[in-house]
Amino acid sequence: MKPRISDGNDTRETRRLATLLEVSQALSGTLNLKSALHRVLEILAKRHGALRSMVTLLGEDGELAVEAADGLPEPQSVRYRIGEGITGKVVESGKPVAVPRVSREPDFLHRAARRAELSREELSFVCVPILLSRKAVGALGVDLRFKPERDFDSSVKFMGVVASMVAQAVKIQRAVEDERRRLLAENTHLRQELRERYDFSNIIGTSGPVREMYEQVAQVAKTNTTVLIRGESGTGKELIAHAIHYNSLRAKKPFVKVSCAALPESLIESELFGYEKGAFTGAHARKKGRFEMAEGGTLFLDEIGDINLATQVKLLRVLQEREFERLGATDTVKVNVRLIAATNQDMEKTIAEGKFREDLFYRLNVFTIFVPPVRDRKPDLLLLADHFVEKFSREHGKIIKRISTPAIDMLMAYHWPGNVRELENALERAVLVCEGQVIHGHHLPPSLQTAEASGTVTRMSMADSVAGYEKDLIQDALKTTRGNRAKAARLLDTTERVFNYKVRKYAIDAHRFRT
Ligand SMILES: Nc1ncnc2c1ncn2[C@@H]1O[C@H](COP(=O)(O)OP(=O)(O)OP(=O)(O)O)[C@@H](O)[C@H]1O
Ligand SMILES: [Mg+2]
């Protein structure tokens, strides 16, 4: 027998392959799912004799809604519940259905097109599920002209291929949508974080001295008074300066910071006041100073105690007259800027040494806020510690539930010369090296492990370190079991006898943990 070059079946297969190629191009051509699906349905109409067709997808409400339709008068109003009508059944079962004669099918709802009205000719209906990870997320349904000789098996297979291509497009669209939602959430989170950072309420602490400080901030924020913030290094002066600005009427205007100590003497004036073109070699164009940049807002002069005497004179004038000249300029610039200054120096001493002008100090010292050192606000220490543990756990993606009792004792015993900044650094380090859910004493920096700090050991020998760790573990277990020694022993996988021996050895008061 001679091989047949072409017969009815072959031309049908070729036509179908061409259709699939077009379908795949339509789906990959755009990220807009709706318009891509429209194209697909048009192709099915043109190439495959689909009289009407639609793609339904499951919505979040658990109902099927039309995502795209061709040849239907009012597709947007068509909805099916799962199991309802042929479409609903296909999605429920995940299996395709072919209805050779629609007029004889009682399940056929005629919802989509009031088909009976549209045509009096007999129709066939093929509906295939759109499957993602073997779960139906929708259906593709087409109306075909009824032909007694039609091979429905082959039609269903072909539509199944189209549906699987549609499923891929749905999958990509959902991934894109998820990514967009994730970015949106991240953005909201970042904005929230920004608000928190400058909001008053993110200043942790409820101790007496801190409450006093809050009151002062609240008092002075809404005024235009110059504020001097004094306090040791790392106590949170910058945080207070932010809080004042963002709680003032100038909150929407710029907050400009100048780190006086970080700028070389020769640069500070041009930084503050700006310069005209040609004011000095290298001044190629006019430049605005920080005072002008802060127009309408707040200028924060950090470490004001470090500025040189010549600049002090100029600053005094700005404070008195609210005007200055750019370097190399003759005309005067008027500014509306609120000044906040901060220093950790003993200003009285600096003045006595002749390094700071007394008159400028009085101008700055209109309203002074003292930020207390950590050692004077011990009650806040745990709040701050918890706050930082939570913050850094979140940042480093760890789940740390608490700080162990001995570690807390160590935190409390230490004198914190570097104040909140030192505490913040210590706890970031602890979070980083912590391998479990609890911060232990040995996670804290060496400066806290000294005899002076912990009041326990003179030199860390191995035996002492192990003993310290063992004590930590025992106290932790007792805490978890609320002082129940038998349970605590089991928790540590040891016998009650050994456990009790160690409790006595380390002079641990188990009663302390009963609540
Ligand atoms: N009450 C507080 N609540 C939460 N975080 C705080 C608090 N006080 C300070 N911090 C944090 O401690 C760190 C040091 O604070 P800040 O930079 O404001 O100190 P500073 O007084 O300006 O120090 P320096 O004089 O060294 O410049 C910052 O990361 C800040 O967020
Ligand atoms: Mg600072």
Side-chain angles (χ1 to χ4, degrees):
M1 204 158 86
K2 277 213 290 193
R4 287 176 303 179
I5 292 165
S6 162
D7 72 353
N9 266 334
D10 280 354
T11 39
R12 200 176 66 196
E13 287 312 307
T14 320
R15 215 175 53 231
R16 283 183 171 177
L17 280 177
T19 308
L20 288 180
L21 182 65
E22 274 191 66
V23 164
S24 111
Q25 281 165 346
L27 287 172
S28 59
T30 167
L31 268 182
N32 182 330
L33 186 66
K34 262 191 201 302
S35 67
L37 291 177
H38 257 288
R39 262 306 286 141
V40 171
L41 298 183
E42 274 170 20
I43 293 165
L44 290 181
K46 199 165 90 203
R47 300 254 180 262
H48 203 70
L51 299 175
R52 280 171 285 275
S53 56
M54 66 177 179
V55 171
T56 45
L57 289 178
L58 268 180
E60 273 166 16
D61 56 0
E63 284 196 10
L64 287 159
V66 175
E67 184 73 14
D70 186 65
L72 302 186
E74 272 178 84
Q76 61 280 7
S77 63
V78 178
R79 292 184 81 79
Y80 302 91
R81 282 188 301 274
I82 293 183
E84 188 186 26
I86 308 265
T87 304
K89 288 208 165 61
V90 165
V91 172
E92 187 179 46
S93 65
K95 301 246 163 32
V97 169
V99 182
R101 288 168 182 264
V102 164
S103 62
R104 296 189 187 168
E105 174 59 55
D107 266 348
F108 205 88
L109 296 176
H110 296 279
R111 190 174 285 170
R114 290 179 236 107
R115 287 178 175 78
E117 291 169 28
L118 281 172
S119 73
R120 243 159 272 132
E121 64 182 328
E122 182 65 281
L123 295 175
S124 306
F125 181 59
V126 174
C127 188
V128 292
I130 296 168
L131 299 165
L132 272 186
S133 323
R134 296 211 196 90
K135 257 196 73 191
V137 296
L140 164 67
V142 292
D143 286 359
L144 302 168
R145 199 160 276 124
F146 171 72
K147 288 184 199 156
E149 75 283 4
R150 190 183 289 280
D151 175 356
F152 281 99
D153 265 358
S154 136
S155 284
V156 161
K157 269 198 197 116
F158 170 70
M159 286 300 165
V161 177
V162 175
S164 77
M165 289 160 106
V166 167
Q168 280 311 309
V170 170
K171 188 171 165 184
I172 289 169
Q173 143 107 11
R174 292 196 175 166
V176 169
E177 186 57 27
D178 279 355
E179 176 67 5
R180 202 183 65 88
R181 239 180 265 153
R182 196 187 61 74
L183 285 173
L184 214 68
E186 187 176 287
N187 184 270
T188 316
H189 168 77
L190 286 175
R191 242 182 289 155
Q192 170 73 13
E193 202 175 274
L194 203 67
R195 202 172 321 133
E196 273 170 17
R197 186 167 300 160
Y198 298 128
D199 181 359
F200 209 79
S201 56
N202 78 319
I203 304 178
I204 307 292
T206 52
S207 66
V210 173
R211 273 210 299 272
E212 234 170 78
M213 189 176 77
Y214 291 160
E215 262 161 44
Q216 288 179 312
V217 172
Q219 235 181 351
V220 81
K222 298 272 189 281
T223 69
N224 275 325
T225 312
T226 301
V227 181
L228 179 63
I229 305 172
R230 302 183 65 173
E232 289 175 20
S233 182
T235 44
K237 296 185 291 296
E238 193 164 336
L239 217 55
I240 298 292
H242 273 139
I244 295 175
H245 173 73
Y246 287 98
N247 284 281
S248 77
L249 305 172
R250 297 168 177 265
K252 293 208 168 71
K253 295 290 168 93
F255 176 90
V256 176
K257 175 186 161 176
V258 182
S259 287
C260 302
L263 287 167
E265 274 190 22
S266 54
L267 274 185
I268 183 133
E269 284 190 23
S270 65
E271 264 312 307
L272 285 176
F273 307 117
Y275 50 77
E276 288 295 332
K277 186 176 172 183
F280 47 85
T281 21
H284 297 302
R286 168 197 272 198
K287 184 177 178 276
K288 275 193 182 182
R290 304 281 174 105
F291 264 103
E292 280 179 88
M293 289 182 200
E295 176 61 32
T298 304
L299 184 69
F300 175 46
L301 296 176
D302 202 6
E303 296 165 85
I304 187 107
D306 289 332
I307 58 169
N308 62 58
L309 286 164
T311 311
Q312 288 178 28
V313 177
K314 295 205 169 170
L315 212 52
L316 182 63
R317 174 161 163 240
V318 187
L319 277 177
Q320 281 171 340
E321 287 153 30
R322 300 281 154 187
E323 61 179 39
F324 61 89
E325 286 93 35
R326 294 195 193 101
L327 267 61
T330 45
D331 52 338
T332 310
V333 182
K334 283 226 169 271
V335 280
N336 166 16
V337 165
R338 190 228 197 122
L339 215 66
I340 301 178
T343 181
N344 55 19
Q345 294 197 12
D346 179 349
M347 293 304 282
E348 286 73 10
K349 186 163 152 258
T350 322
I351 292 166
E353 287 168 353
K355 288 189 204 144
F356 204 89
R357 293 181 65 105
E358 199 169 6
D359 46 5
L360 176 60
F361 179 66
Y362 287 128
R363 277 279 166 190
L364 291 171
N365 199 15
V366 184
F367 192 99
T368 301
I369 296 178
F370 285 95
V371 187
V374 167
R375 65 181 170 282
D376 290 348
R377 44 184 295 206
K378 278 284 165 76
D380 290 335
L381 209 121
L382 285 187
L383 282 180
L384 282 162
D386 278 343
H387 166 75
F388 289 132
V389 167
E390 203 199 297
K391 172 178 155 190
F392 293 120
S393 305
R394 209 178 329 120
E395 265 174 39
H396 299 296
K398 294 203 168 184
I399 302 161
I400 294 175
K401 300 246 165 85
R402 60 189 181 85
I403 307 172
S404 75
T405 312
I408 286 175
D409 290 343
M410 285 165 72
L411 292 174
M412 292 301 268
Y414 187 60
H415 56 290
W416 299 107
N419 291 298
V420 185
R421 180 176 297 116
E422 189 180 6
L423 178 68
E424 190 174 7
N425 292 341
L427 288 168
E428 176 161 26
R429 174 186 186 274
V431 166
L432 278 174
V433 298
C434 180
E435 63 289 330
Q437 300 194 342
V438 180
I439 299 229
H440 290 290
H442 64 275
H443 295 134
L444 295 172
S447 50
L448 274 72
Q449 317 273 1
T450 61
E452 197 194 351
S454 64
T456 47
V457 287
T458 44
R459 210 186 59 213
M460 274 312 227
S461 67
M462 189 164 89
D464 285 339
S465 307
V466 172
Y469 187 49
E470 206 168 42
K471 192 175 166 188
D472 267 9
L473 287 176
I474 291 170
Q475 289 186 326
D476 250 3
L478 282 168
K479 197 166 182 182
T480 310
T481 62
R482 302 197 171 168
N484 184 326
R485 296 187 196 201
K487 275 194 195 162
R490 253 178 280 137
L491 207 62
L492 292 178
D493 241 349
T494 180
T495 63
E496 226 179 307
R497 200 176 57 78
V498 171
F499 189 84
N500 283 327
Y501 162 74
K502 303 259 181 188
V503 166
R504 274 196 306 280
K505 177 177 162 195
Y506 297 125
I508 296 168
D509 180 8
H511 295 280
R512 186 179 149 200
F513 300 96
R514 291 205 181 136
T515 45

